[in-house]
Amino acid sequence: MEAKKMSAKGKIKILIAGLIISILAFMCYNMGPNLDYVIPTRLIRLSTMLVVAVSIAYSSVIFQTLTNNRILTPSIMGYEAVFILFQTCIVFTYGDKTFQVISDTTNFFISVVLMVVFSLFLYLIIFKRGRNNLFHLLLTGLVLGTLFETMSRFMQILIDPNEFTMIYTHLFASFDKMNTPLLLVSTIVLVVTLIIGGYYVKYLDILALGREQAINLGLDYHQLVRIFMIIISILVSVSTALVGPITFLGILVTNLTYQLMKTTKHSLTIIGCCILSSIVVISGQFITEHVFNFSTEISIIINFIGGIYFLYLILKSRRKV
């Protein structure tokens, strides 16, 4: 066991080196003469990418542990659909006066509250109803997510095309949004959430054994699930409010981390996943800017690769059965 710990820690050091290289490449490549503008702009985008990458990685590992399934993430279960529906509703209601009625910070906190309510709703109707809730969870999340997406699209068809552009910025992830106040608020929320989550992360190793084993070992299973689902909803709302949805990033980085780390210690897995997620996001943004010259969004690249990897995981799991 000790050898495995050392091996995982050694891999984390390699990931840290890779993260440093990706950060230096993003910050220093093709800087040009206007350093006074380029450096602050790239620092803001870099900070946004790190916040989003950590939020998605952390929430995805927790969610997969709770559901005991490695092909599920909060994105698939409808969390981001709740955010898009809310954005569509406020634009549908207030039109081009939306940003005069509701500020970005207020919008963010309302989105967080809605995500938490949605998490508690899933908890009440699913996790409290017995043992085998995985398929019930999957179906409920997919159905609700599809319902929210359908409602959003219906309202988007009805609104003015000029007003639709206000919603469009939330439909695809983009790190070109320069919203420094919201980044500051999101960073504070993320840090506080990680501090609280850091206290409970030790219980994930036991929760991974299953509901019955966790209860037999003396854990308050339902209380921990409720706490972790609130943490997940806050982290998903942080990443989605900042840049928009990146559906398959969580599946991609978590499963790559499991294959790389090969450890049951969630403290190490989460650290490795957060670093790997940061590398993927920064590298993806670097490719978007310097290879595709901003002709596409990073979410399209990540979702394309992640979608293929998701299909691979499904086919792989079917072969095992």
Side-chain angles (χ1 to χ4, degrees):
M1 178 64 69
E2 191 66 28
K4 289 185 179 179
K5 288 183 180 180
M6 292 301 296
S7 176
K9 291 179 179 178
K11 292 174 182 177
I12 288 178
K13 292 179 181 178
I14 295 175
L15 288 174
I16 292 175
L19 177 60
I20 293 174
I21 293 173
S22 62
I23 290 175
L24 290 176
F26 176 79
M27 289 296 300
C28 300
Y29 183 80
N30 196 18
M31 296 183 70
N34 300 321
L35 298 182
D36 293 339
Y37 170 77
V38 173
I39 293 179
T41 301
R42 291 189 179 183
L43 279 175
I44 293 175
R45 290 215 302 271
L46 177 63
S47 301
T48 303
M49 286 187 282
L50 292 175
V51 170
V52 170
V54 171
S55 299
I56 293 177
Y58 201 105
S59 60
S60 297
V61 173
I62 295 176
F63 190 81
Q64 290 181 356
T65 300
L66 294 181
T67 59
N68 194 25
N69 191 293
R70 293 187 176 184
I71 62 173
L72 295 180
T73 63
S75 299
I76 293 178
M77 302 310 296
Y79 283 91
E80 292 173 349
V82 174
F83 175 81
I84 298 299
L85 177 61
F86 174 64
Q87 304 307 314
T88 305
C89 286
I90 59 177
V91 174
F92 182 82
T93 303
Y94 297 108
D96 56 1
K97 298 181 180 179
T98 298
F99 295 116
Q100 300 175 10
V101 176
I102 181 172
S103 65
D104 288 335
T105 304
T106 304
N107 188 346
F108 170 77
F109 283 111
I110 294 177
S111 300
V112 171
V113 172
L114 290 176
M115 295 280 193
V116 172
V117 171
F118 182 68
S119 292
L120 294 178
F121 175 74
L122 286 178
Y123 168 78
L124 289 175
I125 68 172
I126 296 171
F127 280 95
K128 270 196 167 184
R129 288 194 173 183
R131 302 177 182 177
N132 301 318
N133 298 307
L134 178 58
F135 294 108
H136 190 190
L137 173 66
L138 177 60
L139 290 174
T140 303
L142 289 176
V143 169
L144 290 177
T146 303
L147 174 64
F148 296 151
E149 289 178 1
T150 303
M151 294 172 62
S152 300
R153 290 173 183 172
F154 177 73
M155 286 186 286
Q156 290 166 13
I157 293 174
L158 297 179
I159 64 177
D160 185 88
N162 294 325
E163 296 171 356
F164 175 76
T165 58
M166 303 170 64
I167 305 174
Y168 182 81
T169 57
H170 298 288
L171 299 180
F172 298 96
S174 174
F175 292 97
D176 300 327
K177 305 171 185 177
M178 305 297 292
N179 196 328
T180 306
L182 185 57
L183 173 61
L184 179 60
V185 172
S186 301
T187 303
I188 295 173
V189 172
L190 173 63
V191 171
V192 173
T193 305
L194 292 182
I195 292 174
I196 297 174
Y199 174 78
Y200 292 98
V201 73
K202 57 188 176 183
Y203 298 116
L204 289 174
D205 295 341
I206 302 177
L207 290 176
L209 300 175
R211 177 178 179 271
E212 289 76 12
Q213 288 80 355
I215 294 176
N216 290 336
L217 291 172
L219 293 186
D220 189 344
Y221 177 80
H222 294 297
Q223 177 69 13
L224 288 173
V225 169
R226 187 162 57 244
I227 291 173
F228 279 125
M229 291 196 72
I230 292 175
I231 291 174
I232 289 170
S233 63
I234 293 174
L235 293 177
V236 171
S237 61
V238 165
S239 63
T240 308
L242 271 180
V243 300
I246 311 180
T247 304
F248 288 104
L249 177 61
I251 294 176
L252 179 63
V253 297
T254 50
N255 284 277
L256 290 178
T257 302
Y258 296 143
Q259 294 182 16
L260 177 64
M261 300 295 291
K262 299 186 185 302
T263 178
T264 57
K265 295 287 292 183
H266 279 78
S267 57
L268 297 176
T269 301
I270 289 176
I271 293 174
C273 190
C274 290
I275 299 173
L276 181 59
S277 178
S278 301
I279 295 174
V280 170
V281 172
I282 295 173
S283 302
Q285 183 64 21
F286 181 87
I287 294 172
T288 301
E289 293 184 13
H290 301 291
V291 177
F292 293 103
N293 295 319
F294 294 99
S295 61
T296 184
E297 298 289 353
I298 183 176
S299 60
I300 297 176
I301 298 175
I302 293 179
N303 287 339
F304 175 73
I305 299 174
I308 295 175
Y309 190 61
F310 176 67
L311 293 176
Y312 163 75
L313 292 174
I314 293 178
L315 294 175
K316 182 180 178 181
S317 62
R318 289 185 63 182
R319 283 198 299 265
K320 289 182 178 180
V321 175

